[in-house]
Amino acid sequence: IGPGVTRFALGDQVFGLSRKLGAHAELVVVGERDAVAHKPEALSFAEAASLPFGATTMLDFYRRAALAPGEQVLVNGASGAVGVAAVQIAVAEGASVTAVCSAANAALVRSLGAQRVIDYAHEDFAGEGPRYDVIVDAVGTAPFARASRALRPGGRLLAVLADLPAMLAAPFQSLGGKRVIAGPVTEREADALRIGELAAGGALRPVIDRRYALAEIVEAHRRVDSGRKRGSVVLTVVD
């Protein structure tokens, strides 16, 4: 890819992330240092394609939060594309994970490494209960006013799904050393390589809700918009 770049050879199988907006397409041009890496041999293309969005997001957020081994992490919205990556990467980094999801998805998040599961329909994680070093809000229902009650001193709220006002307010929100981390994610070549390593070693498992042909794009968007998917929805280009 480009003069003097020899990381990839013709015929290599690769996967990666492109956040270019516009349309779904069969082909995309990426830069020679974009977030692209060799696809783990054990994964299908659909499985590999399901990983980068959530995993890249959480690698960046955990890096900004300086997640450390032994910390207590709560993932709010643990069964979505970002949530399943948040659980698995935190476990891989040596953290202890509590997952917040529906009862129907409890077995899934436990299989991904969550040590404790909270059914949001019957228990408020911000009530009288354990306190956490890091709270990942992957669904936008845990603003700082709510999440801060469940954070330890020095704790960090990772506002993954934050609107523009929340992003602008994040640097100014703090209480007892607690802080909010929000804003756009930076995609790095090193992150694509890390995702490949984690997946090849079994620490990052693909979770695919459903697969759709490109001609079924409307149905695919409806499934995503329902808010009930588990993991990722994958589009497959069919001849």
Side-chain angles (χ1 to χ4, degrees):
I1 304 177
V5 178
T6 58
R7 281 192 307 129
F8 300 120
L10 187 65
D12 281 359
Q13 296 184 344
V14 302
F15 79 109
L17 179 67
S18 172
R19 293 182 187 264
K20 296 177 181 178
L21 303 179
H24 298 281
E26 180 178 358
L27 302 175
V28 63
V29 176
V30 297
E32 62 188 28
R33 295 303 179 195
D34 281 358
V36 179
H38 285 96
K39 180 181 73 67
E41 292 184 4
L43 298 186
S44 67
F45 279 108
E47 290 172 329
S50 73
L51 294 176
F53 176 77
T56 299
T57 297
M58 290 316 307
L59 285 171
D60 186 72
F61 269 95
Y62 283 147
R63 181 166 48 240
R64 284 188 274 166
L67 178 65
E71 289 197 305
Q72 297 289 323
V73 175
L74 179 133
V75 179
N76 182 43
S79 58
V82 172
V84 297
V87 170
Q88 295 181 88
I89 293 174
V91 171
E93 294 296 326
S96 177
V97 178
T98 295
V100 180
C101 61
S102 68
N105 292 320
L108 168 66
V109 296
R110 282 197 180 96
S111 74
L112 300 177
Q115 294 183 333
R116 180 170 177 256
V117 179
I118 295 175
D119 178 0
Y120 64 80
H122 296 96
E123 183 180 350
D124 180 8
F125 75 82
E128 296 297 327
R131 296 295 178 257
Y132 304 92
D133 300 294
V134 174
I135 292 177
V136 179
D137 182 18
V139 288
T141 60
F144 186 66
R146 179 188 179 200
S148 62
R149 301 197 303 267
L151 282 172
R152 293 172 173 170
R156 294 86 79 199
L157 168 63
L158 310 188
V160 176
L161 192 63
D163 57 18
L164 181 58
M167 290 183 192
L168 294 175
F172 307 100
Q173 291 179 314
S174 64
L175 179 65
K178 306 169 187 177
R179 60 192 177 97
V180 180
I181 297 172
V185 170
T186 300
E187 301 94 30
R188 306 185 183 192
E189 179 188 18
D191 288 344
L193 295 172
R194 177 62 174 155
I195 292 167
E197 291 172 357
L198 290 171
L204 183 61
R205 194 181 92 197
V207 177
I208 298 177
D209 179 83
R210 297 184 188 180
R211 307 182 192 198
Y212 294 87
L214 193 56
E216 301 172 306
I217 185 65
V218 174
E219 290 78 7
H221 274 282
R222 285 174 178 159
R223 178 60 181 170
V224 173
D225 292 343
S226 73
R228 298 186 179 279
K229 68 178 179 64
R230 293 156 49 105
S232 300
V233 163
V234 174
L235 287 176
T236 302
V237 177
V238 177
D239 187 352

